[in-house]
Amino acid sequence: MDWGLQNRLAKIINPQNNRSLMLAVDHGYFLGPTERLENPKKTISPLLKYCDSLMLTRGVQRTSVTANTSVPMVLRVSGGASIIGEDLSQEQITVTMKEAIRLNVSAVAMSMFVGSKYENQTIVNLGRLVSAAEEYGIPVLAVTAVGKELGKDARYLSLACRIAAEQGAHIVKTYYCDDFEKVTDSCPVPIIVAGGKKIPEREAMQLTYNSIKGGAVGVDMGRNIWQSDNPVPMIRAIRSIVHGNANVDQAFKLYNQLCKENKPNKQNKNKPNKQNKNKQKT
Ligand code: R5P
């Protein structure tokens, strides 16, 4: 593997333990001001030091993340659809490699929509993005986005993950499901698990634990961290599973201890959490 590509990957997936904690804050690219991510800077700032990498758009990177950070950026380079539009799968590549390099990102990311109306367009775009990114030694994270009509089951997810890997993706993001080993076993590149919509904290810890036990390198978690009433204790508890080999009981105990020590931040304190009722794409 080219040195630059290998070096960038090592910033995202720790080569010492083959684990990764990515904080996802890219939701606004099709959801707009997502609950508790209305002000990205306020959401990201207290969490930044606890993640291995940050997944975001260029707009949020430029406006809401300090350039002094050493945290690697995973830049979403696809878009073109919105939650109120006709079809969420109608995405194109919206950011050039030159721009990704200017932003000094450690990887680029895009969604592919296997089984959807725009399947062909997104798979071809993934192949093209890999070709363009490899010229500069930049890894590509493929997000296996799941349309409402498609089930999150091992048969479908292993199909989507394998197609992403065959197109040359260096990391694949997908969902945890029953029989998850079937998905990880048949995907020749590392798999990272998306958190999905907000669930109770302990369940999100269980999801993280199960994902790693099932062969994932870690989680790319967003809403289950920053939609928690206690985002810092939550990311630290998730980190204890990913990097500290904590089990769910240990992580939940840590979470409760940290909650006692940390007051919830204002942005989260003032708004009781509502379960996100929007249709979810990813
Ligand atoms: C969706 O917009 C993005 O791909 C997210 O990065 C992904 O869904 C992970 O975030 P969450 O844990 O909130 O599902």
Side-chain angles (χ1 to χ4, degrees):
M1 195 186 284
D2 181 69
W3 195 96
L5 193 106
Q6 201 176 342
N7 180 257
R8 288 186 179 94
L9 266 179
K11 289 180 177 162
I12 298 167
I13 304 171
N14 185 336
Q16 309 300 320
N17 60 3
N18 201 33
R19 296 278 173 87
S20 181
L21 173 53
M22 193 179 288
L23 178 64
V25 291
D26 60 319
H27 303 60
Y29 92 98
F30 76 100
L31 284 173
T34 313
E35 188 186 353
R36 295 191 176 180
L37 193 56
E38 295 91 344
N39 181 330
K41 194 184 265 183
K42 273 193 189 166
T43 303
I44 296 165
S45 300
L47 301 173
L48 192 58
K49 65 178 172 190
Y50 299 109
C51 62
D52 297 326
S53 61
L54 191 61
M55 183 182 175
L56 76 186
T57 58
R58 64 173 155 183
V60 166
Q61 185 172 332
R62 284 217 169 85
T63 59
S64 311
V65 183
T66 171
N68 296 332
T69 184
S70 56
V71 173
M73 301 295 146
V74 177
L75 181 69
R76 173 173 281 282
V77 297
S78 69
S82 85
I83 191 73
I84 59 166
E86 204 179 287
D87 195 314
L88 285 173
S89 69
Q90 197 174 10
E91 286 195 2
Q92 294 282 6
I93 302 299
T94 55
V95 182
T96 62
M97 289 315 299
K98 195 172 170 183
E99 171 78 329
I101 292 162
R102 196 184 285 125
L103 286 162
N104 196 30
V105 303
S106 295
V108 290
M110 66 164 286
S111 297
M112 61 181 295
F113 296 82
V114 172
S116 73
K117 188 172 168 194
Y118 294 94
E119 169 186 274
N120 171 267
Q121 173 180 313
T122 59
I123 294 175
V124 171
N125 282 343
L126 173 61
R128 288 184 179 147
L129 181 67
V130 170
S131 301
E134 283 202 337
E135 277 200 51
Y136 302 98
I138 298 184
V140 174
L141 166 69
V143 180
T144 58
V146 178
K148 251 174 53 169
E149 63 288 354
L150 295 163
K152 289 180 190 166
D153 60 54
R155 199 161 155 234
Y156 169 72
L157 294 177
S158 58
L159 170 79
C161 290
R162 181 58 177 265
I163 290 172
E166 300 269 352
Q167 284 300 327
H170 306 93
I171 312 174
V172 176
K173 174 157 87 164
T174 195
Y175 287 91
Y176 183 76
C177 60
D178 291 342
D179 213 5
F180 185 62
E181 288 80 1
K182 185 180 162 161
V183 182
T184 51
D185 283 350
S186 58
C187 182
V189 298
I191 286 191
I192 194 159
V193 169
K197 67 180 180 184
K198 178 77 177 71
I199 51 179
E201 278 75 5
R202 197 187 159 94
E203 286 175 31
M205 291 173 205
Q206 188 72 59
L207 171 86
T208 305
Y209 183 82
N210 291 348
S211 300
I212 288 169
K213 283 278 166 254
V217 294
V219 288
D220 180 14
M221 191 171 270
R223 288 163 288 181
N224 278 294
I225 291 173
W226 38 260
Q227 287 184 344
S228 167
D229 287 339
N230 301 284
V232 170
M234 188 58 186
I235 195 170
R236 291 183 64 183
I238 295 294
R239 191 171 180 87
S240 75
I241 298 171
V242 174
H243 285 297
N245 289 320
N247 60 31
V248 177
D249 285 341
Q250 290 165 328
F252 196 56
K253 192 173 165 198
L254 174 68
Y255 170 77
N256 285 323
Q257 265 169 11
L258 293 170
C259 285
K260 281 184 199 153
E261 294 163 18
N262 289 265
K263 286 183 190 157
N265 68 37
K266 270 192 184 165
Q267 192 176 351
N268 284 20
K269 197 178 161 190
N270 293 340
K271 288 185 184 172
N273 184 40
K274 290 180 260 149
Q275 295 289 333
N276 191 339
K277 292 198 178 73
N278 289 338
K279 51 179 171 170
Q280 298 298 334
K281 179 184 63 163
T282 59

